[in-house]
Amino acid sequence: MRFLPAKRSSGWVIWMAGYGLLLSLLLWAVRFIAWGEGFDAVIALRFVLFAFVMSLIINGFGWLGARWVWTLTTAGVAVGIAAIFIYANREMDGWGDLIGLLAFMECVVIGFALGLLADGVRFIAIKRREKA
């Protein structure tokens, strides 16, 4: 994880902006390409807001030094976006959209929880080494 900026550095602002932009584009691709919906500016702006709020939370943990939270949540986002595309290509009469969105959120939450667990174990291990 050496490619990530240092803890509490201003580089995380750049990462947050890039992350939010990329996530916005991926969500737009899901909505307007995979699902085949017509472009709607209000929906597009809602996706941008959603992407940047997620980016702020995920990169905020990275800024605090929780690199495992950042890494595993990002992996959850990637798997979740892939799940949306998988469910979007099935003929489910509209249910595929909802199932894809729920699968995305589930992957993000699982990644976040695993990241918290990994960083918690790492924190405890460091504190135990300091005592010894």
Side-chain angles (χ1 to χ4, degrees):
M1 289 185 276
R2 296 182 190 266
F3 61 90
L4 293 175
K7 177 180 175 180
R8 298 187 192 274
S9 75
S10 60
W12 282 104
V13 175
I14 296 167
W15 274 88
M16 185 197 71
Y19 197 104
L21 180 64
L22 180 63
L23 188 56
S24 296
L25 292 173
L26 289 171
L27 290 172
W28 285 354
V30 166
R31 170 73 182 197
F32 303 123
I33 296 172
W35 289 348
E37 299 289 328
F39 183 79
D40 184 1
V42 173
I43 298 294
L45 290 175
R46 287 179 185 168
F47 277 142
V48 169
L49 180 62
F50 176 69
F52 275 92
V53 167
M54 278 189 62
S55 177
L56 178 67
I57 293 168
I58 294 167
N59 289 291
F61 274 93
W63 181 81
L64 291 172
R67 291 172 175 250
W68 282 107
V69 171
W70 185 91
T71 303
L72 293 174
T73 305
T74 299
V77 167
V79 171
I81 291 289
I84 290 176
F85 276 109
I86 289 168
Y87 284 114
N89 292 327
R90 295 184 180 177
E91 295 298 324
M92 299 177 133
D93 297 330
W95 285 101
D97 302 347
L98 180 60
I99 292 169
L101 184 63
L102 291 174
F104 171 75
M105 294 307 295
E106 183 179 7
C107 290
V108 171
V109 169
I110 288 171
F112 185 75
L114 289 175
L116 284 176
L117 181 65
D119 267 327
V121 168
R122 184 178 147 269
F123 178 76
I124 291 170
I126 289 171
K127 289 298 179 185
R128 290 187 79 191
R129 270 189 252 136
E130 287 177 359
K131 281 187 178 180

